[in-house]
């Protein structure tokens, strides 16, 4: 069950859709049949799984009476999303349209749906797969909501700690770290040789929490010091829609003024070639993340990693990453300088990164999910 704000399409390139696609591919290889319930927008979807279209309701899709009733219900139940009743009805309709009832349903980043699904499908294994910390509404933290999922998959140890604080029990939790497709993401020819200039990449959503301004500033400082480097910034404000956010526009102006290459949002199938054309990934996110896909993918392409000393970023970087304190911009400058000025340090960091990636595969993800679903049937009582 894809998140209702993501399309299951490479043109959008959302991380959750990528996790669904890669893990589903491996589960299919292991003999399972996968149906992916998702919104679509006419763009080609991933060719993994049986696609089941899910309508997503917005304000313009409902008359004023339904909008007002939904607003009252969302406020009373403290749901995080507007028009959730209509969204859940569409989930049920999509599931009921399947040729045969599912043995298990995995809902991504939605802590309310498992509780409601248990009332409709009490004999089905219901799992929620969490990719990041979620808002703590009192509704979703009720004992009934929290006890509903038979399984709770989390993408990092950091997120497992958060999930226990949120209220899930250790018996529900399974850590499933994101994998990396080593066929799609691989080093470029000659990656061991020093590049002139050293090519630095920021790849992620363009918002303050991700820290692109820190990367732009650090590269500007080093260029002023005379170091030969080139920054590329890739990402949009969201997966779709115009990039008109003031922060996005200001950072684009600043980056271009310093000679950076600004690419904006790119389709998913362009990402591997862009990544492998660089030497360093710099992702100094200010907030803790679940387990950023981009770090593992950059490691697989033998990029040195600079990322934050918190959350799933540090876990994803493993023993290969240089960790910085994003609240102190000087640490970003120092980490970047240590790699740009020393070819041996850069080579060693790239080598460690590739070795780290080779330990994380989507096959391992599929095996972990399969074992949990097969060994833990739906709980009949609460």
């Amino acid at each position: 069950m894809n998140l209702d704000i993501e399309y299951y399409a490479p043109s959008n390139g959302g991380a959750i859709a990528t996790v669904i696609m890669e893990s589903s591919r491996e589960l299919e290889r292991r003999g399972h049949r996968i149906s992916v319930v998702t919104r679509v927008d006419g763009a080609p979807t991933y060719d993994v799984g049986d696609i089941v279209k899910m309508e997503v309701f917005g304000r313009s899709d409902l008359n004023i009476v339904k909008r007002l009733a939904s607003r009252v219900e969302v406020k009373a139940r403290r749901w995080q999303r507007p028009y959730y009743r209509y969204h859940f009805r569409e989930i049920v309709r999509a599931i009921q349209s399947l040729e045969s009832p599912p043995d298990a349903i995995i809902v991504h980043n939605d802590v309310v749906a498992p509780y409601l699904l248990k009332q409709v499908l009490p004999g089905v294994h219901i799992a929620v797969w969490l990719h990041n910390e979620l808002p703590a509404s009192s509704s979703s933290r009720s004992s009934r909501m929290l006890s509903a999922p038979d399984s709770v998959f989390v993408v990092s140890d950091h997120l497992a700690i958060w999930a226990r604080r949120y209220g899930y029990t250790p018996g529900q939790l399974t850590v499933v770290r994101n994998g990396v497709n080593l066929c799609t993401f691989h080093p470029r020819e000659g990656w061991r040789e020093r590049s002139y200039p050293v090519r630095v990449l920021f790849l992620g959503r363009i918002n303050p929490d991700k820290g692109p301004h820190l990367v732009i500033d650090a590269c500007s400082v080093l260029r002023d010091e005379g170091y030969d480097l080139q920054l590329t910034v890739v990402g949009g404000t969201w997966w779709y829609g115009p990039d008109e956010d003031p922060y996005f526009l200001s950072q684009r102006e600043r980056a271009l003024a310093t000679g950076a290459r600004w690419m904006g949002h790119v389709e998913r199938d362009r990402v591997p070639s862009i990544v492998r054309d660089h030497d360093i990934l710099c992702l100094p996110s200010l907030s803790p993340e679940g387990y950023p896909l981009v770090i593992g993918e950059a490691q697989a392409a033998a990029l040195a990693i600079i990322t934050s000393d918190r959350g799933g970023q540090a876990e994803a970087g493993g023993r290969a990453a240089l960790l910085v304190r994003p609240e102190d911009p000087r640490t970003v400058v120092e980490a970047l300088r240590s790699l740009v000025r020393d070819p041996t340090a850069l080579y060693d960091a790239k080598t460690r990164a590739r070795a780290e990636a080779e330990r994380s595969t989507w096959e391992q993800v599929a095996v972990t999910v399969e074992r949990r679903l097969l060994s833990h049937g739906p709980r009949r009582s609460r």
Side-chain angles (χ1 to χ4, degrees):
M1 187 79 60
N2 194 10
L3 191 64
D4 59 351
I5 60 173
E6 279 201 37
Y7 294 105
Y8 188 63
S11 59
N12 302 118
I16 292 177
T18 301
V19 171
I20 293 172
M21 182 270 292
E22 294 285 7
S23 58
S24 295
R25 189 199 310 277
E26 293 299 330
L27 287 166
E28 285 187 333
R29 288 175 179 169
R30 299 181 67 80
H32 303 285
R33 181 173 180 179
I34 306 296
S35 297
V36 179
V37 177
T38 183
R39 70 184 298 181
V40 297
D41 65 348
T45 62
Y46 287 118
D47 60 356
V48 180
D50 300 325
I51 308 303
V52 182
K53 181 180 178 181
M54 174 179 64
E55 297 290 344
V56 175
F57 292 91
R59 187 178 188 277
S60 61
D61 300 309
L62 304 171
N63 62 39
I64 188 170
V65 174
K66 290 183 177 179
R67 291 202 302 267
L68 289 173
S70 180
R71 185 181 304 172
V72 170
E73 181 177 43
V74 168
K75 185 176 181 179
R77 295 177 181 266
R78 293 183 172 85
W79 287 341
Q80 294 297 323
R81 304 181 193 179
Y83 320 122
Y84 192 85
R85 170 181 293 275
Y86 303 99
H87 169 61
F88 183 73
R89 285 179 181 175
E90 184 61 14
I91 289 176
V92 174
R93 183 210 59 77
I95 293 171
Q96 291 176 341
S97 73
L98 300 176
E99 293 181 7
S100 58
D103 298 302
I105 298 174
I106 300 175
V107 181
H108 289 262
N109 260 25
D110 183 346
V111 297
V112 175
Y115 168 72
L116 298 177
L117 284 169
K118 272 296 181 184
Q119 299 176 50
V120 179
L121 301 165
V124 176
H125 187 116
I126 307 294
V128 59
W129 195 322
L130 299 177
H131 300 265
N132 49 263
E133 299 178 18
L134 302 177
S137 72
S138 59
S139 170
S140 62
R141 296 186 73 171
S142 70
S143 59
R144 291 183 301 170
M145 289 284 185
L146 292 167
S147 65
D150 299 295
S151 299
V152 178
F153 298 116
V154 291
V155 296
S156 62
D157 290 333
H158 161 77
L159 203 56
I161 294 171
W162 171 87
R164 287 196 291 271
R165 291 173 180 165
Y166 193 80
Y168 291 114
T169 65
Q172 290 172 288
L173 293 171
T174 300
V175 176
V176 186
R177 296 177 183 84
N178 291 331
V180 61
N181 189 322
L182 297 176
C183 295
T184 302
F185 290 89
H186 55 81
R188 68 178 182 273
E189 186 176 350
W191 66 273
R192 294 177 177 84
E193 302 169 4
R194 186 176 185 184
S195 300
Y196 296 95
V198 176
R199 290 167 287 191
V200 181
L201 174 66
F202 173 89
L203 174 58
R205 241 181 3 263
I206 307 300
N207 67 32
D209 267 355
K210 290 285 189 177
H213 57 283
L214 297 174
V215 186
I216 294 168
D217 289 346
C219 288
S220 180
V221 168
L222 294 183
R223 285 173 63 86
D224 288 346
E225 291 177 0
Y227 289 103
D228 190 14
L229 76 159
Q230 175 67 47
L231 170 63
T232 302
V233 180
V234 180
T237 55
W238 204 243
W239 302 289
Y240 44 84
D243 287 316
E244 299 175 350
D245 176 75
Y247 178 81
F248 177 93
L249 296 175
S250 67
Q251 296 311 307
R252 181 175 64 184
E253 182 178 349
R254 294 179 67 246
L256 294 175
T258 63
R261 180 187 180 202
W262 185 279
M263 298 185 69
H265 172 76
V266 301
E267 295 190 357
R268 178 67 181 171
D269 58 6
R270 294 181 59 197
V271 171
S273 62
I274 292 171
V275 171
R276 75 174 63 100
D277 195 39
H278 290 81
D279 302 294
I280 301 169
L281 173 77
C282 192
L283 187 70
S285 304
L286 282 78
S287 298
E289 298 189 37
Y291 196 94
L293 274 177
V294 64
I295 291 179
E297 293 170 347
Q299 287 176 327
L303 272 66
I305 306 297
I306 298 174
T307 193
S308 307
D309 62 347
R310 61 202 58 183
Q313 302 97 296
E315 275 185 65
R319 292 168 288 183
L322 277 69
L323 301 181
V324 299
R325 302 186 305 280
E327 68 277 8
D328 183 356
R330 292 173 299 178
T331 64
V332 182
V333 175
E334 292 164 0
L336 193 55
R337 184 190 291 117
S338 72
L339 297 176
V340 172
R341 73 182 178 189
D342 187 344
T344 300
L346 178 56
Y347 171 78
D348 289 346
K350 295 167 83 171
T351 303
R352 292 196 307 272
R354 176 62 192 184
E356 192 75 24
E358 289 173 352
R359 289 190 281 269
S360 303
T361 67
W362 288 111
E363 181 181 10
Q364 294 170 330
V365 170
V367 169
T368 302
V369 171
E370 178 187 64
R371 286 175 178 169
R372 174 75 194 199
L373 296 181
L374 292 178
S375 62
H376 294 75
R379 290 170 292 158
R380 303 296 178 178
S381 60
R382 296 288 186 270

